[in-house]
């Protein structure tokens, strides 16, 4: 057994021990067989993992397309790149993992392909295809930091969708106001008719209010666009992961520093 195989086996054994010690809610869903996406989601639901998009409203076609399966595989791609760049595993292992990730993504597009929402079910598709050594992709990470990263990415996308829609609304208000610079309308103070104003002036009041909302969204975005990835489950990771590189590969501006704050 070579070094990487030993690492893969050790991760599997240690993972199973931790899962067993934490009871059913931490069950290894990768060991529960499923032939379809629906079966995979049903097995995951038994241990508290919600199916991707279940009960969620989408803010755009892109938001709907970039579901949990999409983001978990994007995280897998970023992890593969980072693990190779940091020389944590040799090149041939990186190529094996990349082959497994690529297969997982493309099989979902084929008739009868699976698109599970659970991390371990996705890894099972990889290892069934390319072998157990590909499981080392999970080195230094956990379902918790991966799901936290997925939620942060989804919130980021939805915040950007909301910001875009608000910008569109403001543009329409400005255009309508420009068309009504001299259009008079009645105005009231305390329910009593007062000096007339223009319709353009009236519309600009709402536009300025929405402009403040746009500022709030921009400030919120700076706070939320931080990556939890690489913090593990609770007390950070002993693996020499490059969290800043993971964040950059996933489109985040920085990292959440504290491992408990990031995903608990």
């Amino acid at each position: 057994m070579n070094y990487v195989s030993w690492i893969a086996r050790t991760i599997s054994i240690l993972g199973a021990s931790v899962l067993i010690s934490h009871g059913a809610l931490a069950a290894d869903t990768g060991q529960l067989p499923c032939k379809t996406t629906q079966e995979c989601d049903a097995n995951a639901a038994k241990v508290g993992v919600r199916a991707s998009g279940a009960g969620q409203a989408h803010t755009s076609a892109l938001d709907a397309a970039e579901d949990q399966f999409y983001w978990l595989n994007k995280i897998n791609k970023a992890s593969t790149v980072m693990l190779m760049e940091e020389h944590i595993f040799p090149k041939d292992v990186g190529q094996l993992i990349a082959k497994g990730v690529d297969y997982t993504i493309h099989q979902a597009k084929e008739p009868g392909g699976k698109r599970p929402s659970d991390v371990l079910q996705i890894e099972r598709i990889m290892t069934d295809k390319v072998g157990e050594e590909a499981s080392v992709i999970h080195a230094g990470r956990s379902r918790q930091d991966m799901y936290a990263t997925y939620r942060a990415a989804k919130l980021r996308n939805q915040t950007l969708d909301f910001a875009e829609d608000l910008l569109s609304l403001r543009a329409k208000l400005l255009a309508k106001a420009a068309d009504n610079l001299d259009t008079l309308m009645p105005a009231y103070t305390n329910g009593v008719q007062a000096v007339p104003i223009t319709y353009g002036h009236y519309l600009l009041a709402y536009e300025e209010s929405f402009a403040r909302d746009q500022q709030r969204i921009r400030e919120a975005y700076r706070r939320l666009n931080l990556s939890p990835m690489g913090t593990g489950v609770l007390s950070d990771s002993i693996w020499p992961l490059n969290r800043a590189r993971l964040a950059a590969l996933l489109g985040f501006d920085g990292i959440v520093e504290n491992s408990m704050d990031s995903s608990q």
Side-chain angles (χ1 to χ4, degrees):
M1 180 182 292
N2 63 30
Y3 172 74
V4 175
S5 296
W6 178 82
I7 288 289
R9 182 63 178 162
T10 301
I11 289 173
S12 176
I13 293 172
L14 290 176
S17 299
V18 172
L19 294 170
I20 291 170
S21 68
H22 282 76
L25 285 180
D28 184 355
T29 50
Q31 299 304 316
L32 301 176
C34 57
K35 296 181 180 180
T36 66
T37 300
Q38 290 73 23
E39 286 183 11
C40 292
D41 288 344
N43 285 341
K46 293 175 184 177
V47 295
V49 178
R50 186 173 65 177
S52 174
Q56 298 177 6
H58 300 298
T59 54
S60 66
L62 178 65
D63 181 51
E66 294 189 354
D67 60 3
Q68 194 159 314
F69 178 83
Y70 169 88
W71 273 106
L72 292 179
N73 279 289
K74 191 159 187 171
I75 291 169
N76 280 342
K77 289 192 286 185
S79 294
T80 305
V81 171
M82 183 276 297
L83 289 170
M84 295 305 100
E85 289 181 347
E86 298 300 312
H87 306 291
I88 295 174
F89 296 114
K91 182 178 179 180
D92 61 324
V93 175
Q95 292 172 336
L96 183 72
I97 295 172
K99 182 179 178 181
V101 174
D102 184 67
Y103 170 77
T104 302
I105 294 170
H106 284 90
Q107 64 81 35
K109 302 174 184 177
E110 300 297 326
K114 294 188 291 186
R115 197 179 180 87
S117 303
D118 182 73
V119 171
L120 299 182
Q121 290 172 339
I122 291 173
E123 289 183 12
R124 178 63 182 270
I125 296 173
M126 291 174 52
T127 56
D128 282 351
K129 179 64 177 178
V130 301
E132 188 178 344
E133 286 187 351
S135 66
V136 297
I137 191 176
H138 208 60
R141 69 184 195 181
S142 165
R143 282 189 286 193
Q144 277 81 347
D145 62 340
M146 293 181 72
Y147 290 145
T149 303
Y150 158 70
R151 292 191 296 269
K154 287 292 283 187
L155 182 58
R156 175 180 67 192
N157 281 359
Q158 293 171 354
T159 299
L160 291 173
D161 285 341
F162 181 64
E164 185 175 354
D165 287 346
L166 187 56
L167 281 171
S168 177
L169 174 60
R170 290 176 59 201
K172 291 175 182 177
L173 286 171
L174 288 170
K176 181 65 70 173
D179 290 338
N180 289 275
L181 296 177
D182 299 316
T183 305
L184 295 176
M185 62 173 286
Y188 299 85
T189 59
N190 299 318
V192 178
Q193 187 169 344
V195 177
I197 60 173
T198 67
Y199 187 44
H201 184 67
Y202 173 80
L203 293 174
L204 288 175
Y206 286 97
E207 195 284 326
E208 288 196 18
S209 175
F210 290 143
R212 291 191 295 274
D213 289 335
Q214 201 90 52
Q215 291 174 344
R216 295 182 182 100
I217 294 171
R218 186 165 60 248
E219 291 165 2
Y221 183 86
R222 289 203 303 269
R223 297 183 180 95
L224 68 87
N225 196 36
L226 299 174
S227 171
M229 197 60 219
T231 55
V233 62
L234 178 65
S235 55
D236 221 327
S237 172
I238 63 171
W239 290 82
L241 306 181
N242 187 334
R243 292 193 58 213
R245 179 60 171 152
L246 282 172
L249 288 168
L250 294 169
F252 292 97
D253 294 327
I255 63 173
V256 180
E257 293 284 352
N258 187 279
S259 60
M260 288 188 66
D261 178 46
S262 70
S263 60
Q264 294 298 309

